[in-house]
Amino acid sequence: MLTNNPQDLASEVFENYKRYLNPPLARVMKLSGSPVEVRAQGTTIWDQQGKAYLDFAGGYGVFTLGHSHPRVIAAVREQMEAMSLSGKTMFNVVLGRAAKRLAELAPGDLQLSFWCNSGTEAVEGAIKLARAATGRAKIVATHDAYHGKTYGALSVSGREAFQTPFRPLLADVAHVPFGDASVLDDVLRDAAAFIVEPVQGEGGVNVPPEGYLRAVREACDRAGALFIADEVQTGLGRCGYLFGCDRDEVVPDVMTLAKGLSGGIVPVGAFIARPDVWNRAYAKQPLVHTSTFGGSEIACAAALAAMEVLVEDRLVENARERGAQLLEGVRAIAAEYPSVIARARGLGLLVGAELTSEGYGGWIIPEMLKAGVTAAWTLNQQRVIRLEPPLVVTAAEVERALGALRAGVATAAEKLGRL
Ligand code: PLP
């Protein structure tokens, strides 16, 4: 039961985090003035005091349709009453339909999918598929990549601090610079796969030059290595394209998805592969990669509804238009305050402001929160503040968020002036 007194609730939550979850994280969140989220709808989150926040962190890319989309909730409710979880011993209707719809939307001949519960599991599945399909072990990835924190995904991620305590990681992994396909021929010669994000999200919103993924495709073909596009964050409209790969009009061999796939209502992940790749791996062993909860009815019902909303409400187009507005606005603030923001970059509604010093985020994000707007850090590159609102965001909401960012940056500039 939630207590009605906002102060009591905040104290209770902090104590629970401190005693039973993660004491250092609890202290950092308290110091940065993190409120308690109690309700969310559309682009708005309400805290324990009833204060509304415009959500420009967007759950790090989960809430593509906004929070609590009524069509997705209705689909999940209806499914829960019929059957929530598959027993896995019989054919299941919604899993089949979700897989079919995903194959219709995915580029080229990407067709056979495996459904799991998170992004990192989707990456694990893609790595295993690549090894089984090619008979090769080596996986090539990029510096600053973020693919998740289970062992395989962590091994191909590109941040030492997350890896060091857990070594040894997966053997036979090589990392190359992101955005430069000229380095690939040599390293891919004996590789099972190259895994790459169409835009690096956690790496600091790094947008590669146009044509990079096309060159990746060609290098993978020359080497007989598979091309895995990790679209966990960039997929399903985020970058102003249905998939990040569409920017270069390329078809990877395997694509991973999660985050926005179920519209932010039920945990879900998936990888989808070309039939020849899938068959090379699993035609004779259909049960070597499975998951008890993967492809649950409620996740698939949510995913089906979310994919319909994404297409019918033309959210990809909105992401492109509002993304252009947001990036232009952040660039203008950067031009006004070059001592605080070094540069801005982004694609669609994945926009980053690179600060001149990592510490300034600790001034700007709390100021934005005070003004009623959330923004996010990036996990691998804390100099970059990330703006990743739901794809349903309006032009007026983008202006409001820009106003909050400008105020936060102005405060940082003022503090700098006083130092
Ligand atoms: N891949 C990418 C590109 C991501 O951005 C993330 C999460 O941020 C993941 C994989 C891992 O997803 P999850 O946190 O659902 O395991």
Side-chain angles (χ1 to χ4, degrees):
M1 257 300 264
L2 293 182
T3 152
N4 286 329
N5 181 317
Q7 203 47 54
D8 289 352
L9 184 65
S11 307
E12 180 203 333
V13 172
F14 174 66
E15 277 306 306
N16 285 340
Y17 268 58
K18 200 175 73 180
R19 280 171 189 264
Y20 305 112
L21 287 163
N22 189 329
L25 180 67
R27 281 189 279 274
V28 170
M29 287 177 77
K30 190 170 188 186
L31 266 177
S32 64
S34 177
V36 180
E37 54 188 7
V38 294
R39 196 162 69 81
Q41 185 74 53
T43 51
T44 307
I45 303 175
W46 285 268
D47 75 6
Q48 78 280 13
Q49 317 253 27
K51 177 174 169 178
Y53 299 83
L54 186 55
D55 186 11
F56 265 59
Y60 303 89
V62 171
F63 299 109
T64 48
L65 311 186
H67 293 264
S68 321
H69 195 285
R71 266 181 70 184
V72 182
I73 287 186
V76 171
R77 276 217 176 100
E78 192 182 321
Q79 185 57 48
M80 277 183 95
E81 299 202 343
M83 184 178 191
S84 304
L85 283 183
S86 162
K88 298 272 166 164
T89 53
M90 299 185 192
F91 283 117
N92 187 273
V93 181
V94 256
L95 174 58
R97 285 185 185 152
K100 177 178 180 215
R101 190 68 186 117
L102 181 60
E104 286 165 357
L105 294 181
D109 57 349
L110 288 171
Q111 184 183 329
L112 289 166
S113 57
F114 174 85
W115 291 65
C116 49
N117 307 287
S118 65
T120 199
E121 280 175 80
V123 170
E124 295 293 331
I127 292 172
K128 285 177 70 182
L129 176 71
R131 283 187 159 189
T134 61
R136 299 176 180 180
K138 182 174 172 186
I139 308 289
V140 181
T142 58
H143 297 307
D144 293 324
Y146 187 79
H147 298 293
K149 288 191 178 129
T150 51
Y151 261 96
L154 182 64
S155 304
V156 293
S157 289
R159 186 164 181 216
E160 277 289 319
F162 291 151
Q163 296 174 324
T164 304
F166 308 107
R167 292 188 186 283
L169 299 174
L170 207 61
D172 260 335
V173 171
H175 283 88
V176 296
F178 177 73
D180 178 6
S182 72
V183 298
L184 291 177
D185 277 333
D186 261 3
V187 72
L188 283 181
R189 201 163 295 132
D190 53 349
F194 179 54
I195 181 165
V196 67
E197 298 154 86
V199 173
Q200 285 188 331
E202 306 300 332
V205 190
N206 301 319
V207 184
E210 245 174 276
Y212 172 59
L213 294 182
R214 221 171 306 128
V216 165
R217 175 72 276 173
E218 287 162 12
C220 286
D221 288 343
R222 280 193 296 275
L226 301 185
F227 170 13
I228 303 172
D230 183 351
E231 297 249 18
V232 164
Q233 189 151 175
T234 54
L236 299 156
R238 171 60 50 195
C239 292
Y241 297 87
L242 195 46
F243 298 94
C245 284
D246 294 343
R247 178 182 179 226
D248 272 356
E249 295 177 352
V250 289
V251 183
D253 296 298
V254 190
M255 180 184 271
T256 55
L257 295 159
K259 292 204 186 264
L261 183 56
S262 74
I265 304 290
V266 184
V268 70
F271 69 78
I272 181 163
R274 298 179 122 155
D276 68 308
V277 170
W278 195 94
N279 284 326
R280 271 153 64 197
Y282 297 138
K284 295 198 182 113
Q285 312 181 80
L287 291 176
V288 291
H289 189 72
T290 59
S291 162
T292 299
F293 290 123
S296 75
E297 274 68 6
I298 46 174
C300 291
L304 258 176
M307 288 188 274
E308 291 321 321
V309 173
L310 186 73
V311 173
E312 284 171 24
D313 291 1
R314 299 174 57 82
L315 297 184
V316 182
E317 290 81 351
N318 196 55
R320 193 178 291 198
E321 286 161 23
R322 297 287 67 82
Q325 178 193 355
L326 181 60
L327 183 58
E328 195 186 308
V330 180
R331 285 200 167 129
I333 297 169
E336 239 177 279
Y337 297 97
S339 62
V340 181
I341 301 185
R343 57 191 68 82
R345 51 182 176 261
L347 192 66
L349 282 170
L350 180 53
V351 169
E354 184 179 326
L355 307 175
T356 53
S357 163
E358 188 175 313
Y360 302 164
W363 291 333
I364 298 169
I365 291 182
E367 278 300 312
M368 291 181 73
L369 261 188
K370 269 194 230 156
V373 177
T374 69
W377 305 95
T378 57
L379 277 179
N380 286 357
Q381 178 48 277
Q382 303 229 322
R383 263 164 84 129
V384 177
I385 290 180
R386 194 167 20 152
L387 301 168
E388 205 171 350
L391 311 186
V392 295
V393 73
T394 64
E397 288 170 333
V398 169
E399 286 312 314
R400 237 192 87 200
L402 286 168
L405 176 66
R406 177 176 283 106
V409 171
T411 305
E414 206 183 290
K415 288 190 180 186
L416 266 176
R418 276 195 256 119
L419 286 179

